[in-house]
Amino acid sequence: MDATARVRAGWDWLKGPEPWTRRMLAGDLALATVAAVLGLGVEELDRGSGARMLASAVLVVALTLLRRRLPAATLVAGSALSAVLPGALLVTGLLGWSAGRRIEGVGRALAAFSLACVAAVGLGVVSESEMRPLLVIVFTTLLFIVTTVMPGLASRYWSQRRTLLRALQERNAQLMRERAMIAGQARLLERQRIAQDMHDSLGHQLALISVHTGALEVDPKLTDRQREAVGVLRQASVAAMHELREVVGILRDGVAAPVPVEEAAQPAARGVAGIAGVVESARGAGTPVGLATTGQPRPLVAACDHAAYRIVQEALTNAYKHAPGAAIAVELRYEDDSLVVEIANGPAAGPGAGEVVSGGQGLTGLRERARLVGGMVHAGPTEDGGFRVAGVLPYGAEPAGVEDAADDFGQRLRPHVLDGAPPMDWAAVDRELTVPSRSRAGGVAMGCGIAFAAGVLLLVALGVAIALMVGSFKDGMIDREEYDAVRIGTAEQEVRDRLPSGDSVLTSGLDRKGPTRPAGSECLAFLAADGPSDLGKDLVFRFCFADGKLVDKQAYEVKQ
């Protein structure tokens, strides 16, 4: 394996199972840089050496880049190193956030955080020799909870919430698809029922009309004019039967029913090509109808072609019923992007034939038919008292107005919402989100119990810390009378018995800030209980011992 392949393999290992984009890499490097710079400031305040500063910065960058691939290991390592290298303390929050999000299973996460806490506390006790071990344990534990555990809990909650929302989103989409399928099946069954009813009722009646008109047409008692009118009725009934067969086929199977070969040439085409036949039939019935075509004819898709035919047919029917004897003008205009079908009639030439039977749904059906193919229909009266119907139909199929179904969350179901997302592992989601309880009430009770126990433990820890702090303050402070009562040359054990232990965070390093200590001596420093009036300074009492007796005592002020 050459060097390039090894580098690529190492890079793939470092990325881990998550996709690591350039943006994410840049973000991780930025976080590592900020944490390293702030860590150098912490090391400078702690008077760390140059080698320790360099090691702290390198470790911060390495832990930040490895946290995606090894969340548990980096959490333990970072917590342990933060006890030795103060500059690595700031990266523990980032490691806790990453571990809380990426460690699968509550047991594994609890084990990783517990091991990290033990490592931080153990190394803190070993590395800190100037404080009491119990005080180090309390402070280190509280610091670990604040800087590591709390970011981990917040990250785990955020990650579980995001997983839950995504699972609900996908399950909602699945339910919406299933509901659409059920609705489609219900519509199909209803269409089949309607088709059967139409075939059984209308088909029978049209067949009787066709038979009776056919027999009446050959009656020798009829005049030529009457026989021609009966022939028109028979052709209309035959055409109605063909259209009924087509509609029944569409309702039942979703496709038009096949027309028999012997009947294929009889009915007019149900498209723009059939408009001339409809106009010619109207003229044969005695209605003055004119047909005009402008523009370059262009082919239309089947749905638009059929919609144009239906618009002309319905408009002519309305003109027959509501304006008998009026002249009708039919115009087809081929525009650049659409076909305009316009039918206009003048006012009625005379009184109507009485009450007109109308369902009132013709124009509504035309508008819906045009909308489904991306067009529109306008109908209204004209200035001269007539009526005008105009339809605009696109040449291509452009379904419009079909809105996405609203889901149960008040949102729209869009197929592209989850495009590109990996498939959901429902078993893993169930394991992650399942509450180990028998009932919802039990889960709530368990959660409340855990929260209460955690609150109690935190209050106990705070109480212990406050008590230790108060005791530490007492061990690190004396008044002026105690200082003056101690004489140089007194035995060391006698002096230590009279004074507090001095083991306090308040006195850490104070013995090295005053005057030069006697050679070979060991010093004990205290803060004055009644310090100077200057709030920026502290009064220190120092006692130095050598050869088992007090050899020097000093009182001096130091800056806080």
XYZ file of all heavy atoms in Angstrom, residues 17 51 82 97 132 144 153 179 187 211 218 222 253 262 269 328 347 361 393 455 468 479 511 516 518 552:
210
model
N -18.200 7.010 10.758
C -19.423 6.728 9.998
C -20.151 7.975 9.526
O -20.988 7.902 8.644
C -20.277 5.944 11.005
C -19.801 6.409 12.345
C -18.326 6.676 12.182
N 7.093 23.822 27.262
C 6.798 22.450 26.819
C 5.392 22.037 27.208
O 4.675 21.387 26.443
C 7.830 21.488 27.422
N -7.061 16.977 31.719
C -7.395 18.298 32.266
C -6.959 18.440 33.722
O -6.770 19.561 34.210
C -8.903 18.536 32.149
O -9.626 17.599 32.955
N -20.090 17.258 25.097
C -21.175 17.453 24.126
C -21.138 16.378 23.048
O -22.168 15.793 22.696
C -21.050 18.840 23.511
C -22.057 19.126 22.449
C -21.988 18.800 21.128
C -23.320 19.782 22.612
N -23.099 19.217 20.446
C -23.947 19.827 21.337
C -23.984 20.339 23.696
C -25.195 20.407 21.142
C -25.226 20.927 23.498
C -25.815 20.944 22.234
N -6.273 19.349 50.688
C -6.781 18.105 51.239
C -7.410 17.263 50.132
O -8.089 17.794 49.242
C -7.831 18.400 52.314
C -7.270 19.055 53.566
C -8.393 19.273 54.560
N -7.898 19.884 55.788
C -8.691 20.204 56.823
N -10.000 19.951 56.742
N -8.178 20.769 57.895
N -16.345 18.826 37.097
C -16.645 17.856 36.041
C -18.134 17.884 35.681
O -18.503 17.801 34.506
C -16.237 16.452 36.497
C -16.486 15.380 35.479
C -15.595 15.173 34.440
C -17.625 14.579 35.555
C -15.824 14.184 33.497
C -17.861 13.598 34.619
C -16.958 13.392 33.585
N -25.448 16.010 28.848
C -26.898 15.824 28.984
C -27.662 16.691 27.990
O -28.646 16.247 27.377
C -27.329 16.153 30.410
C -26.852 15.186 31.503
C -27.270 15.696 32.878
C -27.402 13.785 31.266
N -52.717 6.710 3.784
C -54.042 7.305 3.705
C -54.410 7.650 2.266
O -55.558 7.478 1.858
C -54.090 8.571 4.571
C -55.489 9.152 4.701
C -55.536 10.264 5.720
N -54.852 11.452 5.243
C -54.801 12.595 5.933
N -55.364 12.660 7.122
N -54.170 13.637 5.441
N -61.936 5.670 -3.826
C -62.417 6.351 -5.026
C -62.593 5.377 -6.181
O -63.553 5.479 -6.955
C -61.443 7.463 -5.422
C -61.512 8.690 -4.542
C -60.806 9.863 -5.188
N -59.402 9.581 -5.400
C -58.445 9.881 -4.540
N -58.760 10.468 -3.394
N -57.181 9.608 -4.799
N -83.298 1.966 -30.516
C -84.132 0.961 -31.209
C -85.420 1.594 -31.715
O -85.839 1.402 -32.871
C -84.408 -0.217 -30.267
C -85.459 -1.147 -30.877
C -83.127 -0.983 -29.993
N -87.898 4.176 -40.386
C -88.323 3.430 -41.586
C -89.849 3.365 -41.702
O -90.377 2.606 -42.534
C -87.731 2.012 -41.564
C -86.218 2.078 -41.582
C -88.195 1.247 -40.311
N -94.082 8.577 -42.381
C -93.375 9.818 -42.087
C -92.992 10.533 -43.372
O -92.679 9.909 -44.393
C -92.113 9.543 -41.264
C -92.318 8.960 -39.860
C -90.972 8.752 -39.190
C -93.199 9.862 -39.009
N -61.941 1.571 -15.242
C -60.553 1.119 -15.381
C -59.561 2.255 -15.473
O -58.356 2.003 -15.495
C -60.409 0.226 -16.617
C -61.366 -0.956 -16.595
O -61.574 -1.492 -15.487
O -61.904 -1.313 -17.648
N -66.496 -1.723 -36.230
C -67.601 -1.314 -37.088
C -68.198 0.017 -36.685
O -68.914 0.651 -37.446
C -68.696 -2.390 -37.092
C -69.350 -2.614 -35.740
C -68.596 -3.608 -34.891
O -67.476 -3.975 -35.324
O -69.097 -4.016 -33.826
N -64.370 12.435 -33.672
C -63.233 12.383 -32.762
C -63.482 13.295 -31.571
O -64.004 14.398 -31.717
C -61.958 12.796 -33.498
N -74.388 31.663 -33.475
C -73.282 31.243 -32.617
C -71.987 31.315 -33.422
O -71.937 30.874 -34.584
C -73.504 29.819 -32.089
C -74.850 29.702 -31.364
C -72.373 29.426 -31.147
C -75.202 28.293 -30.955
N -78.238 37.342 -28.484
C -79.452 37.154 -27.682
C -80.426 36.218 -28.385
O -80.341 35.976 -29.593
C -80.012 38.571 -27.558
C -79.424 39.322 -28.695
C -78.086 38.734 -28.975
N -74.312 22.300 -13.617
C -72.936 21.878 -13.337
C -72.054 21.880 -14.581
O -70.894 21.496 -14.495
C -72.933 20.459 -12.736
C -73.706 20.339 -11.439
C -73.109 21.182 -10.342
O -71.900 21.306 -10.245
N -73.969 21.781 -9.522
N -56.116 26.826 -23.045
C -55.550 25.508 -22.780
C -54.101 25.473 -23.239
O -53.796 25.886 -24.359
C -56.355 24.420 -23.502
C -57.851 24.360 -23.160
C -58.552 23.382 -24.087
C -58.045 23.960 -21.717
N -31.053 16.243 42.203
C -31.098 17.513 42.927
C -30.629 17.380 44.359
O -29.897 18.232 44.874
N -16.691 22.522 53.872
C -15.240 22.405 53.714
C -14.595 23.758 53.470
O -13.489 24.032 53.952
C -14.918 21.439 52.577
C -15.276 19.959 52.821
C -15.007 19.140 51.562
C -14.465 19.420 53.994
N -5.318 35.868 63.839
C -5.375 37.314 64.095
C -4.003 37.787 64.563
O -3.058 37.010 64.764
C -6.464 37.637 65.103
C -6.338 36.813 66.380
O -5.216 36.321 66.646
O -7.350 36.655 67.085
N 3.524 31.660 51.092
C 4.819 31.641 51.772
C 5.961 32.000 50.843
O 7.060 32.355 51.297
C 5.053 30.264 52.391
C 5.024 29.168 51.346
O 4.288 29.338 50.333
O 5.707 28.147 51.517
N 12.656 36.997 51.559
C 13.407 35.772 51.326
C 13.374 34.879 52.562
O 13.598 35.345 53.693
C 14.865 36.092 50.962
O 14.865 36.961 49.826
C 15.631 34.825 50.629
N 14.563 31.930 55.155
C 15.879 31.433 55.614
C 16.247 30.131 54.884
O 15.367 29.316 54.556
C 15.666 31.203 57.112
C 14.529 32.105 57.470
C 13.637 32.135 56.268
N 12.199 32.101 62.137
C 11.875 33.407 61.559
C 10.352 33.539 61.475
O 9.648 32.540 61.258
C 12.481 33.562 60.173
C 12.195 34.912 59.560
O 12.613 35.933 60.129
O 11.501 34.953 58.482
